[in-house]
Coordinates of all heavy atoms in Angstrom, one line a residue:
M368 N 123.7 116.5 -22.6 CA 122.8 116.0 -21.6 C 121.7 117.0 -21.4 O 121.9 118.2 -21.5 CB 123.6 115.8 -20.3 CG 122.9 115.0 -19.3 SD 123.8 114.8 -17.8 CE 124.1 113.1 -17.7
D369 N 120.5 116.6 -21.1 CA 119.3 117.4 -20.9 C 119.5 118.3 -19.7 O 119.9 117.8 -18.6 CB 118.1 116.5 -20.8 CG 116.8 117.3 -20.9 OD1 116.8 118.5 -21.3 OD2 115.8 116.7 -20.4
P370 N 119.2 119.5 -19.8 CA 119.4 120.5 -18.6 C 118.5 120.0 -17.4 O 118.9 120.2 -16.3 CB 119.0 121.8 -19.1 CG 118.9 121.7 -20.6 CD 118.9 120.3 -21.0
R371 N 117.3 119.4 -17.7 CA 116.5 119.0 -16.6 C 117.1 117.9 -15.8 O 117.1 117.8 -14.5 CB 115.1 118.6 -17.1 CG 114.3 119.8 -17.6 CD 113.0 119.3 -18.1 NE 113.3 118.5 -19.3 CZ 112.3 118.1 -20.1 NH1 111.1 118.2 -19.9 NH2 112.7 117.3 -21.2
I372 N 117.8 117.0 -16.5 CA 118.5 115.9 -15.8 C 119.7 116.4 -14.9 O 119.9 116.0 -13.8 CB 119.0 114.9 -16.8 CG1 117.9 114.2 -17.5 CG2 119.9 113.8 -16.2 CD1 118.2 113.2 -18.6
V373 N 120.4 117.4 -15.5 CA 121.5 118.0 -14.7 C 121.0 118.7 -13.5 O 121.5 118.5 -12.3 CB 122.3 119.0 -15.6 CG1 123.3 119.8 -14.8 CG2 122.9 118.3 -16.8
I374 N 119.9 119.4 -13.6 CA 119.3 120.1 -12.5 C 118.8 119.0 -11.4 O 119.1 119.2 -10.2 CB 118.2 121.0 -12.9 CG1 118.7 122.2 -13.6 CG2 117.3 121.5 -11.7 CD1 117.7 123.1 -14.3
A375 N 118.2 118.0 -11.9 CA 117.8 116.9 -11.0 C 118.9 116.3 -10.3 O 118.8 116.0 -9.1 CB 116.9 115.9 -11.7
L376 N 120.0 116.0 -11.0 CA 121.2 115.4 -10.4 C 121.8 116.3 -9.3 O 122.2 115.9 -8.3 CB 122.2 115.0 -11.4 CG 121.8 113.9 -12.3 CD1 122.9 113.6 -13.4 CD2 121.7 112.6 -11.5
L377 N 121.9 117.6 -9.6 CA 122.4 118.6 -8.7 C 121.6 118.7 -7.5 O 122.0 118.7 -6.3 CB 122.6 119.9 -9.4 CG 123.7 120.0 -10.4 CD1 123.7 121.4 -11.1 CD2 125.1 119.8 -9.8
F378 N 120.3 118.7 -7.6 CA 119.3 118.8 -6.5 C 119.5 117.5 -5.7 O 119.5 117.6 -4.4 CB 117.9 118.9 -7.0 CG 116.8 119.0 -5.9 CD1 116.8 120.2 -5.2 CD2 116.0 118.0 -5.6 CE1 115.9 120.4 -4.2 CE2 115.2 118.1 -4.6 CZ 115.0 119.2 -3.8
G379 N 119.6 116.3 -6.3 CA 119.8 115.1 -5.5 C 121.1 115.1 -4.7 O 121.1 114.7 -3.6
A380 N 122.1 115.6 -5.4 CA 123.4 115.7 -4.7 C 123.4 116.6 -3.5 O 123.8 116.3 -2.4 CB 124.5 116.1 -5.6
L381 N 122.6 117.7 -3.7 CA 122.4 118.7 -2.5 C 121.7 118.0 -1.4 O 122.0 118.1 -0.2 CB 121.7 119.9 -3.0 CG 121.4 121.0 -1.9 CD1 122.7 121.6 -1.4 CD2 120.5 122.0 -2.5
M382 N 120.6 117.3 -1.8 CA 119.8 116.6 -0.7 C 120.7 115.5 0.1 O 120.6 115.4 1.3 CB 118.6 115.9 -1.3 CG 117.6 116.8 -1.7 SD 116.8 117.8 -0.4 CE 117.5 119.4 -0.8
V383 N 121.5 114.8 -0.7 CA 122.4 113.8 0.0 C 123.3 114.5 0.9 O 123.6 114.0 2.0 CB 123.1 113.0 -1.1 CG1 124.2 112.1 -0.5 CG2 122.1 112.0 -1.8
Y384 N 123.9 115.7 0.5 CA 124.8 116.4 1.3 C 124.2 116.9 2.6 O 124.8 116.8 3.7 CB 125.4 117.6 0.4 CG 126.2 118.5 1.3 CD1 127.5 118.1 1.6 CD2 125.7 119.8 1.7 CE1 128.3 119.1 2.4 CE2 126.5 120.6 2.5 CZ 127.8 120.2 2.8 OH 128.6 121.1 3.6
I385 N 122.9 117.4 2.5 CA 122.2 118.0 3.7 C 121.9 116.8 4.6 O 122.2 117.0 5.8 CB 120.9 118.6 3.2 CG1 121.3 120.0 2.5 CG2 120.0 118.9 4.4 CD1 120.0 120.7 1.8
V386 N 121.5 115.6 4.1 CA 121.2 114.6 5.0 C 122.5 114.0 5.7 O 122.5 113.8 6.9 CB 120.5 113.4 4.3 CG1 120.5 112.1 5.0 CG2 119.2 113.8 3.8
V387 N 123.5 113.9 4.9 CA 124.8 113.4 5.5 C 125.4 114.3 6.5 O 125.8 113.9 7.6 CB 125.9 113.1 4.4 CG1 127.2 112.8 5.0 CG2 125.4 111.9 3.6
T388 N 125.4 115.6 6.3 CA 125.9 116.6 7.2 C 125.0 116.7 8.5 O 125.5 116.9 9.6 CB 126.1 118.0 6.7 OG1 124.9 118.5 6.1 CG2 127.1 117.9 5.6
S389 N 123.7 116.5 8.3 CA 122.8 116.7 9.5 C 122.9 115.4 10.4 O 122.8 115.5 11.6 CB 121.4 116.9 9.1 OG 120.9 115.7 8.4
L390 N 123.2 114.2 9.8 CA 123.4 113.0 10.6 C 124.8 113.1 11.3 O 124.9 112.3 12.3 CB 123.3 111.8 9.7 CG 121.9 111.5 9.2 CD1 121.8 110.3 8.3 CD2 120.9 111.3 10.4
A391 N 125.7 113.8 10.8 CA 127.1 113.8 11.4 C 127.1 114.7 12.6 O 127.9 114.4 13.5 CB 128.0 114.4 10.4
Q392 N 126.1 115.5 12.8 CA 126.0 116.4 14.0 C 125.3 115.7 15.1 O 124.4 114.8 14.9 CB 125.3 117.7 13.7 CG 126.0 118.5 12.6 CD 125.2 119.7 12.2 OE1 124.0 119.9 12.7 NE2 125.7 120.5 11.3
P393 N 125.7 116.0 16.4 CA 125.0 115.3 17.5 C 123.5 115.7 17.6 O 123.2 116.9 17.3 CB 125.8 115.7 18.7 CG 126.5 116.9 18.3 CD 126.8 116.8 16.8
V394 N 122.7 114.8 17.9 CA 121.3 115.1 18.1 C 121.0 115.2 19.5 O 120.7 114.2 20.2 CB 120.4 114.0 17.3 CG1 119.0 114.4 17.4 CG2 120.9 113.8 16.0
G395 N 121.1 116.4 20.1 CA 120.9 116.5 21.5 C 119.5 116.5 22.0 O 119.2 116.3 23.1
W396 N 118.6 116.8 21.1 CA 117.1 116.8 21.4 C 116.5 115.4 21.5 O 115.4 115.3 22.1 CB 116.4 117.7 20.5 CG 116.5 117.3 19.0 CD1 117.4 117.7 18.2 CD2 115.7 116.3 18.4 NE1 117.3 117.1 17.0 CE2 116.2 116.2 17.1 CE3 114.7 115.5 18.7 CZ2 115.7 115.4 16.2 CZ3 114.2 114.6 17.8 CH2 114.7 114.5 16.5
A397 N 117.1 114.4 20.9 CA 116.5 113.1 20.9 C 116.3 112.4 22.2 O 115.3 111.7 22.4 CB 117.3 112.2 19.8
K398 N 117.4 112.5 23.0 CA 117.2 111.8 24.4 C 116.2 112.3 25.2 O 115.4 111.5 25.7 CB 118.6 111.9 25.0 CG 118.7 111.1 26.3 CD 120.1 111.2 26.9 CE 120.2 110.4 28.2 NZ 121.6 110.5 28.7
P399 N 116.0 113.6 25.4 CA 114.9 114.1 26.3 C 113.5 113.7 25.7 O 112.5 113.4 26.4 CB 115.0 115.6 26.4 CG 116.4 115.9 25.9 CD 116.9 114.7 25.1
V400 N 113.4 113.8 24.4 CA 112.1 113.4 23.7 C 111.8 112.0 23.9 O 110.7 111.6 24.2 CB 112.1 113.8 22.3 CG1 111.0 113.2 21.4 CG2 112.2 115.3 22.1
L401 N 112.8 111.2 23.8 CA 112.6 109.7 24.0 C 112.2 109.3 25.4 O 111.4 108.6 25.6 CB 113.9 108.9 23.6 CG 113.8 107.4 23.7 CD1 112.8 106.8 22.8 CD2 115.2 106.8 23.4
I402 N 112.9 110.0 26.4 CA 112.5 109.8 27.8 C 111.1 110.2 28.1 O 110.4 109.5 28.7 CB 113.6 110.5 28.7 CG1 115.0 109.8 28.6 CG2 113.1 110.5 30.2 CD1 116.1 110.6 29.2
R403 N 110.7 111.4 27.6 CA 109.4 111.9 27.8 C 108.4 111.0 27.2 O 107.3 110.8 27.6 CB 109.2 113.3 27.4 CG 110.0 114.2 28.4 CD 109.8 115.7 28.0 NE 108.4 116.1 28.2 CZ 108.0 116.7 29.3 NH1 108.8 117.2 30.1 NH2 106.7 117.1 29.4
A404 N 108.7 110.5 25.9 CA 107.8 109.6 25.2 C 107.6 108.3 25.9 O 106.4 107.7 26.0 CB 108.3 109.4 23.8
L405 N 108.6 107.8 26.6 CA 108.5 106.6 27.4 C 107.6 106.8 28.6 O 106.8 106.0 29.0 CB 109.9 106.1 27.8 CG 110.7 105.4 26.7 CD1 112.1 105.1 27.1 CD2 110.0 104.2 26.0
G406 N 107.8 108.0 29.2 CA 106.9 108.3 30.3 C 105.4 108.5 29.9 O 104.5 108.0 30.6
G407 N 105.2 109.0 28.7 CA 103.9 109.1 28.2 C 103.3 107.7 27.9 O 102.1 107.5 28.0
L408 N 104.1 106.9 27.3 CA 103.7 105.5 27.1 C 103.3 104.8 28.3 O 102.3 104.0 28.4 CB 104.9 104.7 26.4 CG 104.6 103.5 25.6 CD1 103.7 103.8 24.4 CD2 105.8 102.8 25.1
A409 N 104.1 105.0 29.4 CA 103.6 104.4 30.7 C 102.4 104.9 31.2 O 101.5 104.2 31.7 CB 104.8 104.6 31.7
L410 N 102.2 106.3 31.1 CA 100.9 106.9 31.5 C 99.7 106.3 30.7 O 98.7 106.0 31.2 CB 101.0 108.4 31.3 CG 99.8 109.2 31.7 CD1 99.5 109.1 33.2 CD2 100.0 110.7 31.3
L411 N 99.9 106.1 29.4 CA 98.9 105.5 28.5 C 98.5 104.1 28.9 O 97.4 103.7 29.0 CB 99.2 105.6 27.1 CG 99.2 107.0 26.4 CD1 99.8 106.9 25.0 CD2 97.8 107.5 26.4
K412 N 99.5 103.4 29.3 CA 99.3 101.9 29.7 C 98.6 101.8 31.0 O 97.7 101.1 31.1 CB 100.7 101.2 29.8 CG 100.6 99.8 30.0 CD 99.9 99.1 28.8 CE 99.7 97.6 29.1 NZ 98.9 97.0 28.1
V413 N 98.9 102.7 31.9 CA 98.2 102.8 33.2 C 96.7 103.2 33.0 O 95.8 102.5 33.5 CB 98.8 103.7 34.1 CG1 98.0 104.0 35.4 CG2 100.2 103.2 34.7
Y414 N 96.5 104.2 32.1 CA 95.1 104.5 31.8 C 94.4 103.4 31.1 O 93.2 103.2 31.4 CB 95.1 105.8 30.9 CG 93.7 106.2 30.5 CD1 92.8 106.8 31.2 CD2 93.2 105.7 29.2 CE1 91.6 107.2 30.8 CE2 91.9 106.1 28.7 CZ 91.1 106.7 29.6 OH 89.9 107.0 29.2
D415 N 95.0 102.8 30.1 CA 94.3 101.7 29.4 C 94.0 100.5 30.4 O 92.9 99.9 30.3 CB 95.2 101.1 28.3 CG 95.1 102.0 27.0 OD1 94.2 102.9 27.0 OD2 96.0 101.9 26.2
L416 N 94.9 100.2 31.3 CA 94.5 99.2 32.3 C 93.4 99.6 33.2 O 92.5 98.8 33.5 CB 95.8 98.8 33.2 CG 96.9 98.2 32.5 CD1 98.2 98.0 33.4 CD2 96.5 96.7 32.0
A417 N 93.4 100.8 33.6 CA 92.2 101.3 34.4 C 90.9 101.4 33.6 O 89.9 101.1 34.1 CB 92.5 102.7 35.0
A418 N 91.0 101.7 32.4 CA 89.9 101.9 31.5 C 89.2 100.6 31.3 O 87.9 100.5 31.2 CB 90.3 102.4 30.1
V419 N 89.9 99.4 31.3 CA 89.3 98.1 31.1 C 88.4 97.8 32.3 O 87.3 97.3 32.2 CB 90.4 97.1 30.9 CG1 89.8 95.7 31.1 CG2 91.1 97.3 29.6
H420 N 88.9 98.2 33.5 CA 88.2 97.8 34.7 C 87.0 98.8 35.1 O 86.1 98.4 35.7 CB 89.1 97.7 35.9 CG 90.1 96.6 35.7 ND1 89.8 95.3 35.7 CD2 91.4 96.6 35.5 CE1 90.8 94.5 35.6 NE2 91.9 95.3 35.4
L421 N 87.2 100.0 34.6 CA 86.2 101.1 34.9 C 85.2 101.3 33.8 O 84.3 102.1 34.0 CB 86.9 102.3 35.3 CG 87.8 102.3 36.5 CD1 88.7 103.6 36.6 CD2 87.0 101.9 37.8
G422 N 85.3 100.7 32.7 CA 84.3 100.8 31.6 C 84.6 102.1 30.8 O 83.7 102.5 30.1
W423 N 85.8 102.6 30.8 CA 86.1 103.9 30.0 C 86.5 103.4 28.6 O 86.9 102.2 28.4 CB 87.2 104.7 30.7 CG 86.8 105.2 32.0 CD1 85.6 105.4 32.6 CD2 87.8 105.6 33.0 NE1 85.7 105.9 33.9 CE2 87.0 106.1 34.1 CE3 89.1 105.7 33.0 CZ2 87.7 106.6 35.3 CZ3 89.8 106.2 34.1 CH2 89.1 106.6 35.3
L424 N 86.6 104.3 27.7 CA 87.1 104.0 26.4 C 88.6 104.1 26.4 O 89.2 105.1 26.9 CB 86.6 105.0 25.4 CG 85.1 105.1 25.1 CD1 84.8 106.2 24.2 CD2 84.7 103.8 24.4
P425 N 89.3 103.0 25.9 CA 90.8 103.1 25.9 C 91.3 104.0 24.8 O 90.6 104.3 23.8 CB 91.1 101.6 25.6 CG 89.9 101.1 24.8 CD 88.8 101.8 25.4
I426 N 92.4 104.5 25.1 CA 93.2 105.4 24.1 C 94.1 104.5 23.3 O 94.6 103.5 23.8 CB 94.0 106.4 24.8 CG1 93.0 107.4 25.6 CG2 94.8 107.3 23.9 CD1 93.8 108.4 26.5
G427 N 94.3 104.8 22.1 CA 95.2 104.1 21.2 C 96.6 104.0 21.8 O 97.2 105.1 22.2
F428 N 97.2 102.8 22.0 CA 98.5 102.7 22.6 C 99.5 102.6 21.5 O 99.9 101.5 21.0 CB 98.4 101.4 23.4 CG 99.6 101.2 24.3 CD1 99.8 102.0 25.4 CD2 100.5 100.2 24.0 CE1 100.9 101.8 26.3 CE2 101.6 100.0 24.9 CZ 101.7 100.8 26.0
N429 N 100.0 103.8 20.9 CA 100.9 103.8 19.8 C 102.0 104.9 20.1 O 101.9 105.7 21.1 CB 100.2 104.0 18.5 CG 99.3 105.2 18.5 OD1 99.7 106.3 19.1 ND2 98.1 105.1 17.9
L430 N 102.9 105.0 19.2 CA 104.0 106.0 19.3 C 103.5 107.4 19.3 O 104.0 108.2 20.1 CB 105.0 105.7 18.2 CG 106.2 106.6 18.3 CD1 107.1 106.4 19.5 CD2 107.1 106.4 17.0
M431 N 102.6 107.7 18.5 CA 102.1 109.1 18.4 C 101.4 109.6 19.6 O 101.6 110.7 20.1 CB 101.2 109.3 17.1 CG 101.0 110.7 16.7 SD 102.6 111.4 16.3 CE 102.2 113.1 16.3
S432 N 100.6 108.7 20.2 CA 99.9 109.0 21.4 C 100.9 109.2 22.5 O 100.8 110.0 23.4 CB 98.9 107.9 21.8 OG 97.9 107.8 20.9
A433 N 101.9 108.3 22.6 CA 103.0 108.4 23.6 C 103.8 109.7 23.5 O 104.0 110.3 24.6 CB 103.9 107.2 23.5
V434 N 104.1 110.1 22.3 CA 104.8 111.4 22.2 C 104.0 112.6 22.6 O 104.4 113.5 23.3 CB 105.3 111.5 20.7 CG1 105.8 112.9 20.5 CG2 106.3 110.5 20.4
V435 N 102.6 112.6 22.2 CA 101.8 113.7 22.6 C 101.6 113.7 24.1 O 101.7 114.8 24.7 CB 100.4 113.5 21.9 CG1 99.3 114.4 22.5 CG2 100.5 113.7 20.5
A436 N 101.4 112.6 24.8 CA 101.2 112.6 26.2 C 102.6 112.9 26.9 O 102.6 113.5 27.9 CB 100.8 111.2 26.7
G437 N 103.7 112.5 26.3 CA 105.0 112.7 26.9 C 105.5 114.1 26.8 O 105.9 114.7 27.7
I438 N 105.3 114.7 25.6 CA 105.8 116.0 25.4 C 104.9 117.1 26.0 O 105.3 118.0 26.6 CB 106.0 116.3 23.8 CG1 107.0 115.3 23.2 CG2 106.4 117.7 23.6 CD1 108.4 115.4 23.7
L439 N 103.6 116.9 25.8 CA 102.6 117.9 26.3 C 102.2 117.7 27.7 O 101.6 118.6 28.4 CB 101.4 118.0 25.4 CG 101.7 118.3 24.0 CD1 100.4 118.3 23.2 CD2 102.3 119.7 23.8
G440 N 102.5 116.5 28.3 CA 102.2 116.3 29.7 C 100.7 116.0 29.9 O 100.0 115.5 29.1
V441 N 100.2 116.5 31.0 CA 98.8 116.3 31.4 C 97.9 117.0 30.4 O 96.9 116.4 30.1 CB 98.6 116.9 32.8 CG1 97.1 116.8 33.2 CG2 99.4 116.0 33.8
P442 N 98.1 118.2 29.9 CA 97.2 118.7 28.9 C 97.1 117.9 27.6 O 96.1 117.7 27.0 CB 97.8 120.1 28.6 CG 98.5 120.5 29.8 CD 99.1 119.2 30.3
G443 N 98.3 117.3 27.2 CA 98.3 116.5 26.0 C 97.5 115.2 26.3 O 96.7 114.6 25.4
F444 N 97.6 114.6 27.4 CA 96.9 113.4 27.9 C 95.4 113.7 27.9 O 94.6 112.9 27.4 CB 97.4 112.9 29.2 CG 96.8 111.6 29.6 CD1 97.0 110.5 29.0 CD2 96.0 111.6 30.7 CE1 96.4 109.3 29.4 CE2 95.4 110.5 31.2 CZ 95.6 109.3 30.5
A445 N 95.0 114.8 28.5 CA 93.6 115.3 28.5 C 93.1 115.4 27.1 O 91.9 115.1 26.9 CB 93.5 116.5 29.3
A446 N 93.9 116.0 26.2 CA 93.4 116.2 24.8 C 93.2 114.8 24.1 O 92.3 114.7 23.4 CB 94.5 117.0 24.1
L447 N 94.1 113.8 24.4 CA 93.9 112.5 23.9 C 92.6 111.9 24.3 O 91.8 111.2 23.5 CB 95.1 111.6 24.2 CG 96.4 111.9 23.5 CD1 97.4 111.1 24.1 CD2 96.3 111.7 22.0
I448 N 92.3 112.1 25.6 CA 91.0 111.6 26.1 C 89.8 112.3 25.5 O 88.8 111.7 25.1 CB 91.0 111.7 27.7 CG1 92.0 110.8 28.3 CG2 89.6 111.4 28.2 CD1 92.2 110.9 29.8
A449 N 89.9 113.6 25.4 CA 88.8 114.4 24.8 C 88.7 114.0 23.3 O 87.5 113.9 22.8 CB 89.1 115.9 24.9
I450 N 89.7 113.8 22.6 CA 89.6 113.4 21.2 C 89.0 112.0 21.1 O 88.1 111.7 20.3 CB 91.0 113.4 20.6 CG1 91.5 114.8 20.3 CG2 91.0 112.7 19.1 CD1 92.9 114.9 19.9
R451 N 89.4 111.1 22.0 CA 88.9 109.8 22.0 C 87.3 109.7 22.2 O 86.6 109.1 21.5 CB 89.5 108.9 23.0 CG 89.0 107.5 23.1 CD 89.2 106.7 21.9 NE 88.8 105.3 22.0 CZ 88.1 104.7 21.2 NH1 87.6 105.2 20.1 NH2 87.8 103.4 21.4
Y452 N 86.9 110.5 23.2 CA 85.4 110.6 23.4 C 84.7 111.4 22.4 O 83.6 111.0 22.1 CB 85.2 111.1 24.8 CG 85.3 110.1 25.9 CD1 86.5 109.9 26.7 CD2 84.3 109.2 26.2 CE1 86.7 109.0 27.6 CE2 84.4 108.3 27.2 CZ 85.6 108.2 27.9 OH 85.8 107.2 28.8
G453 N 85.4 112.3 21.8 CA 84.7 113.1 20.7 C 84.5 112.3 19.5 O 83.5 112.3 18.8
I454 N 85.5 111.4 19.1 CA 85.4 110.6 18.0 C 84.4 109.5 18.1 O 83.7 109.2 17.2 CB 86.8 110.0 17.6 CG1 87.7 111.1 17.1 CG2 86.7 109.0 16.6 CD1 89.2 110.7 16.9
S455 N 84.3 108.9 19.3 CA 83.4 107.8 19.5 C 81.9 108.2 19.6 O 81.1 107.4 19.5 CB 83.8 107.0 20.8 OG 83.5 107.9 21.9
G456 N 81.7 109.5 19.8 CA 80.3 110.0 19.9 C 79.7 109.8 21.2 O 78.4 109.9 21.3
M457 N 80.4 109.6 22.3 CA 79.9 109.4 23.6 C 79.7 110.7 24.3 O 80.4 111.6 24.3 CB 80.7 108.4 24.5 CG 80.6 107.0 23.9 SD 81.4 105.9 25.0 CE 80.3 105.7 26.3

């Protein structure tokens, strides 16, 4: 058998082992991140509803924006607004 194939198979087996063992351990950080992301999602929705009525630019309502607003809080939300106005050129 070609040595490159053996090395590739061993590397693949090592990656499978790492993934399986990491999934077997409890993921304690996922619950707080999910709760904060849901809070960020709610904050973005409130801003988007107000933006429609006040003539502001809406922020993208997606998972990444929710995580940024949820994890970073008010500074992250302000950064999303600054990025939105910076990209649009207003």
Side-chain angles (χ1 to χ4, degrees):
M368 199 181 240
D369 188 19
R371 291 179 293 186
I372 293 175
V373 172
I374 291 172
L376 289 173
L377 289 174
F378 183 73
L381 177 65
M382 290 297 112
V383 168
Y384 174 76
I385 290 172
V386 168
V387 168
T388 56
S389 67
L390 291 176
Q392 298 172 356
V394 184
W396 55 268
K398 186 176 179 182
V400 169
L401 182 62
I402 290 170
R403 292 185 64 104
L405 289 174
L408 199 62
L410 180 65
L411 286 172
K412 188 62 178 172
V413 168
Y414 174 82
D415 281 343
L416 290 173
V419 169
H420 296 294
L421 298 174
W423 299 340
L424 292 174
I426 297 175
F428 192 69
N429 55 39
L430 180 63
M431 195 63 194
S432 296
V434 169
V435 168
I438 300 298
L439 297 178
V441 175
F444 183 68
L447 288 172
I448 293 172
I450 290 169
R451 177 65 174 131
Y452 279 95
I454 289 174
S455 68
M457 291 185 77

